[in-house]
């Protein structure tokens, strides 16, 4: 009987405030969609860092014959200079930072160049002699690139030191800023959702003030009186969370898996499995929103 009464009260409250309940669902849906998008963006950044940072190398380009860099005043890097650089990179002082050192010859550089650009007309005019030798250094920790760069930069035979991580950082910066933007919009929409849920509960409590007074007179507990109002907000927020999870799943499925992942195969994109991991978080946030709104409203408007 008690369960039937609570369910009937929930049904009456939702019918009386249908427009507000729908608004709560929609606002919760939008806000949690932004929350989920922010989480998925940060997961994407993490995936890319885990995958690409392990492959990041420090490229030490050796002096070509016609370089204007002061360290290349003696012309093209000699075998002795190359050996000295290799000794520095494999020394005890750099061994905690350097994992592997590989010398890329002109022939190897030309082969890699042709594999990448060989189908273009202008690339057919490039010769082996125009290629540049380089030392490719794999790091134990790519974040400590500067330690290796400081040791070799400016030495005889070194024209330029390039950290491949610098190529990736602008992309990660854009993704991180998109995450911050999504999180900011989510925060604004969450505040709006809390206010709407609070208003919905308040209107529902005011419209049933007579029933509340009767229940209080016959000795009903505070929890029993407040429960229908709490569940109304929880149901609306839960529906918003389910819609947000469904929207994110469909978006990732259609845009990421069926389009981007097929077109850009070298990127490890987030997938629908990641959305399923995020979905319980969105449901939990929706429930917390309803709980906060209930605490704000019920003690005042049910007067118990």
């Amino acid at each position: 009987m008690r369960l039937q009464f609570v369910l009937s009260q929930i049904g009456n409250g939702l019918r009386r405030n249908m427009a507000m309940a729908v608004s709560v669902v929609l606002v919760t849906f939008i806000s949690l969609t932004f929350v989920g998008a922010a989480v998925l963006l940060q997961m994407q950044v993490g995936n890319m860092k885990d995958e690409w940072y392990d492959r990041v190398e420090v490229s030490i380009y050796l002096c070509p014959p016609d370089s204007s860099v002061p360290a290349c005043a003696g012309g093209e890097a000699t075998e002795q200079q190359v050996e000295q650089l290799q000794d520095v990179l494999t020394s005890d002082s750099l061994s905690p930072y350097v994992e592997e050192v590989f010398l890329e010859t002109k022939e190897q550089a030309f082969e890699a160049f042709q594999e990448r650009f060989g189908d273009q007309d202008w690339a057919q005019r490039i010769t082996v002699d125009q290629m540049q030798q380089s030392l490719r250094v794999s790091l134990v920790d790519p974040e400590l690139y500067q330690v290796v760069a400081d040791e070799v930069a400016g030495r005889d035979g070194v024209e330029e030191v390039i950290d491949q991580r610098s190529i990736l950082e602008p992309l990660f910066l854009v993704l991180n800023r998109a995450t911050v933007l999504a999180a900011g919009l989510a925060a604004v929409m969450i505040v709006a959702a809390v206010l709407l849920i609070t208003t919905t509960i308040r209107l529902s409590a005011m419209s049933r003030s007579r029933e509340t007074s009767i229940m209080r007179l016959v000795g009903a507990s505070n929890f029993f009186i407040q429960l229908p109002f709490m569940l109304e907000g929880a149901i609306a927020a839960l529906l918003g969370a389910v819609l947000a999870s469904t929207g994110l799943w469909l978006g990732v499925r259609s845009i990421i898996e069926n389009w981007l992942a097929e077109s850009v195969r070298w990127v490890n994109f987030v997938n629908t499995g990641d959305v399923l991991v995020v979905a319980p978080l969105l449901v939990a946030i929706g429930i917390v929103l309803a709980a906060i709104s209930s605490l704000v409203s019920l003690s005042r408007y049910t007067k118990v």
Side-chain angles (χ1 to χ4, degrees):
M1 291 296 292
R2 288 187 176 184
L3 177 61
Q4 183 178 0
F5 175 77
V6 170
L7 293 177
S8 66
Q9 289 290 91
I10 293 173
N12 291 334
L14 291 176
R15 281 194 299 271
R16 292 176 181 176
N17 302 287
M18 180 61 69
M20 291 297 294
V22 172
S23 299
V24 170
V25 172
L26 293 178
V27 173
T28 306
F29 158 59
I30 295 171
S31 62
L32 293 182
T33 298
F34 279 117
V35 171
V39 174
L40 289 174
L41 275 171
Q42 202 55 43
M43 291 174 69
Q44 181 65 61
V45 172
N47 288 347
M48 293 169 70
K49 284 185 175 180
D50 290 342
E51 182 178 7
W52 291 354
Y53 270 16
D54 289 340
R55 303 179 185 178
V56 163
E57 297 177 332
V58 174
S59 299
I60 304 172
Y61 288 98
L62 305 178
C63 294
D66 54 354
S67 177
S68 59
V69 175
C72 300
E76 189 173 12
T78 64
E79 292 185 9
Q80 183 180 1
Q81 289 173 336
V82 174
E83 290 176 359
Q84 289 175 347
L85 288 169
Q86 288 176 316
D87 290 340
V88 171
L89 292 169
T90 56
S91 64
D92 292 339
S93 60
L94 289 183
S95 60
Y97 309 100
V98 175
E99 184 173 300
E100 185 180 3
V101 180
F102 170 72
L103 174 62
E104 184 179 66
T105 64
K106 290 184 178 182
E107 290 75 15
Q108 291 168 327
F110 180 76
E111 183 179 348
F113 176 82
Q114 289 299 320
E115 287 180 1
R116 185 172 182 181
F117 303 107
D119 58 343
Q120 302 186 33
D121 293 337
W122 62 270
Q124 303 299 324
R125 297 188 292 271
I126 304 298
T127 64
V128 174
D129 291 336
Q130 292 176 288
M131 293 291 102
Q132 190 173 5
Q133 291 188 94
S134 63
L135 289 169
R136 302 304 175 93
V137 183
S138 298
L139 302 178
V140 175
D141 184 358
E143 299 287 344
L144 301 178
Y145 143 80
Q146 199 61 46
V147 176
V148 177
D150 290 342
E151 284 290 334
V152 297
R155 287 180 178 268
D156 292 339
V158 177
E159 182 186 40
E160 187 179 11
V161 180
I162 295 180
D163 175 22
Q164 293 178 350
R165 190 167 59 95
S166 62
I167 302 172
L168 304 176
E169 288 297 342
L171 174 61
F172 294 147
L173 180 62
V174 170
L175 291 174
N176 282 325
R177 286 180 176 175
T179 302
V180 172
L181 177 61
L185 291 173
V188 173
M189 296 304 296
I190 283 174
V191 172
V194 170
L195 294 176
L196 265 177
I197 296 173
T198 302
T199 302
T200 301
I201 293 174
R202 176 171 62 87
L203 291 176
S204 182
M206 292 174 64
S207 67
R208 285 181 285 174
S209 58
R210 183 177 178 182
E211 292 92 329
T212 300
S213 300
I214 294 173
M215 292 171 65
R216 188 168 58 249
L217 288 174
V218 297
S221 66
N222 291 351
F223 176 75
F224 187 73
I225 295 174
Q226 293 177 348
L227 183 60
F229 304 107
M230 295 170 62
L231 291 178
E232 286 174 26
I235 290 171
L238 183 61
L239 286 175
V242 171
L243 286 175
S245 300
T246 303
L248 288 171
W249 191 93
L250 292 174
V252 170
R253 178 70 175 174
S254 59
I255 298 175
I256 303 297
E257 291 187 342
N258 293 343
W259 177 45
L260 278 179
E262 295 294 329
S263 304
V264 187
R265 297 182 180 273
W266 46 271
V267 176
N268 181 23
F269 288 107
V270 294
N271 53 42
T272 50
D274 295 314
V275 177
L276 295 179
V277 172
V278 174
L281 172 65
L282 301 184
V283 172
I285 293 176
I287 294 173
V288 169
L289 289 180
I292 293 174
S293 303
S294 299
L295 290 174
V296 171
S297 298
L298 289 175
S299 61
R300 177 178 178 184
Y301 292 105
T302 57
K303 297 179 180 180
V304 294

